[in-house]
Amino acid sequence: MIDFAWPIILIVNALLVLLFGVFFLWKIHKDKKAGYPTQDERTLKISGRAAIGTYYISLAFMISLLLFIIFGTEFLNLPDLEAGWAILAIMLVSGISYALLSWYYSRKGDL
């Protein structure tokens, strides 16, 4: 029974990604048809600043994770960190930092 869980989870995941993709494409098409621009100068500046900030935050997190792995296994005798957990942590830090920085810059008055 456990062997059949992963194919079902992968199929459900693929369907959810497909549904979200169709929804976002429909929304973009509807907004273009209504005459709304997809991006203006302010949103481009906000997304650019958020992307740069996310890059530096992610880089600092990866370096700190690397140092934690090196010093933790060599000097503190901590168990090795599996690659999957490290990748998951990096993805979460990157996504959350981009969302928070985009929200912060969109709330900020002038850039």
Side-chain angles (χ1 to χ4, degrees):
M1 184 71 183
I2 295 175
D3 294 334
F4 295 108
W6 278 110
I8 293 171
I9 291 171
L10 291 176
I11 291 170
V12 169
N13 190 17
L15 289 174
L16 286 174
V17 168
L18 185 67
L19 286 174
F20 277 117
V22 167
F23 172 73
F24 285 121
L25 287 175
W26 172 76
K27 182 159 175 40
I28 289 171
H29 178 70
K30 185 180 91 168
D31 288 345
K32 277 187 179 179
K33 207 171 189 181
Y36 297 120
T38 54
Q39 289 187 346
D40 58 355
E41 295 85 14
R42 186 171 189 273
T43 57
L44 285 173
K45 197 169 187 179
I46 288 170
S47 62
R49 282 197 176 185
I52 289 171
T54 301
Y55 172 75
Y56 288 128
I57 290 171
S58 299
L59 185 65
F61 180 74
M62 286 187 272
I63 291 171
S64 66
L65 189 63
L66 175 72
L67 292 174
F68 174 76
I69 291 170
I70 290 172
F71 289 116
T73 56
E74 294 295 325
F75 300 116
L76 301 175
N77 294 327
L78 295 175
D80 288 336
L81 180 65
E82 294 181 19
W85 292 109
I87 292 171
L88 181 67
I90 291 168
M91 289 173 55
L92 285 173
V93 165
S94 297
I96 291 171
S97 66
Y98 183 77
L100 288 175
L101 286 174
S102 294
W103 174 78
Y104 171 74
Y105 287 130
S106 67
R107 297 289 180 200
K108 195 174 179 183
D110 56 341
L111 295 175

